[in-house]
Every structure is written in structure tokens, then in C-alpha cells.
């Protein structure tokens, strides 16, 4: 029900825009999040957004490089990633927290629906 796309291979310093489209049901009134999982590491929070888009939350290491947004009319959430670094290489997942509209949680276990992931590879 969540389809992530937009990953690929990019050089360090480059940009990518990830998309997460919902189908089968709407998540327009739910908190949405982006997570990532690098090889051999645990899944970690990247960014989250409230149902209106008025509240956003980012992992500390994002440091202004990424921007999360949403278009509820299109049932889609985006992650604009700029100034990418090799350490950003990971599979990126979108997720929906159907129990929240404004409280952006950072624990993966809080989220109920997950997309299949899209691979982002940043070369040095």
C-alpha cells in the first residue's frame, strides 16, 4: 500500500528526491515517516511529517540537507535529499503511523505500514 521510488546512484554532493505513494487506502490524516537502513545496521529514523505538513522532524545528522513534504491530494510523501554523502547510502523506507496525526515518532516499531524500500547509493 506504500510504494517508495526515486532511489538510485548519485555522486557525493548530489541530490535525489524520493517519493512514497499510497494506494488502496489514504494516509492523508496520518503521520508519515522516512527511515533508512544501511547494510549491517539497524533501521533508523530520517524524517517525519504531520498530517497537514505543519510539523516536521528530522534526525540530527540530517543537518538541513533533507526536506520532507507531502501532497495529500496525491496521497504522496516526498524526501528531497541534497548534499548527499557516501554515508547516506542505504535502503530508504517510507512508513505510516495510523495512530498519530501530529506526533512524529522516531521509533520504527511505532509505524504500522511500510513501503518496500528504495536503494540510494552515493559514490565518493
Amino acid at each position: 500500500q506504500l510504494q517508495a521510488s526515486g532511489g538510485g546512484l548519485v555522486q557525493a554532493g548530489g541530490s535525489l528526491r524520493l517519493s512514497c505513494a499510497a494506494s488502496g487506502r489514504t494516509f492523508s490524516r496520518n503521520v508519515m515517516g522516512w527511515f533508512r537502513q544501511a547494510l549491517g545496521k539497524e533501521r533508523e529514523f530520517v524524517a517525519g511529517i504531520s498530517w497537514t505538513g505543519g510539523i516536521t522532524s528530522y534526525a540530527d545528522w540530517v543537518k538541513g540537507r533533507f526536506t520532507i513534504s507531502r501532497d495529500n491530494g496525491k496521497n504522496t510523501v516526498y524526501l528531497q535529499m541534497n548534499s548527499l554523502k557516501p554515508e547516506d547510502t542505504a535502503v530508504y523506507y517510507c512508513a505510516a503511523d495510523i495512530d498519530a496525526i501530529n506526533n512524529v515518532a522516531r521509533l520504527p516499531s511505532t509505524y504500522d505500514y511500510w513501503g518496500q524500500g528504495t536503494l540510494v547509493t552515493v559514490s565518493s
Side-chain angles (χ1 to χ4, degrees):
Q1 291 180 323
L2 291 174
Q3 180 76 32
S5 62
L9 175 63
V10 63
Q11 289 188 333
S15 298
L16 282 174
R17 187 194 196 202
L18 306 184
S19 298
C20 174
S23 62
R25 64 163 288 169
T26 179
F27 296 102
S28 61
R29 291 186 62 83
N30 301 130
V31 163
M32 299 293 293
W34 283 99
F35 292 78
R36 72 182 188 181
Q37 188 165 16
L39 192 63
K41 295 187 177 181
E42 294 186 351
R43 193 169 298 189
E44 64 176 348
F45 175 79
V46 177
I49 189 167
S50 64
W51 77 281
T52 64
I55 299 171
T56 57
S57 179
Y58 296 93
D60 291 343
W61 50 263
V62 169
K63 295 182 179 178
R65 299 184 297 127
F66 297 178
T67 302
I68 188 171
S69 61
R70 67 190 300 163
D71 183 338
N72 286 338
K74 296 182 179 179
N75 221 7
T76 301
V77 178
Y78 305 97
L79 184 68
Q80 177 67 44
M81 305 188 295
N82 300 327
S83 302
L84 283 162
K85 305 175 182 179
E87 51 263 43
D88 293 320
T89 295
V91 177
Y92 284 71
Y93 299 89
C94 60
D97 180 355
I98 63 173
D99 295 320
I101 58 173
N102 285 321
N103 182 34
V104 178
R106 300 189 172 208
L107 288 176
S109 59
T110 305
Y111 290 75
D112 308 284
Y113 290 86
W114 290 85
Q116 86 291 355
T118 185
L119 176 63
V120 172
T121 303
V122 184
S123 63
S124 57

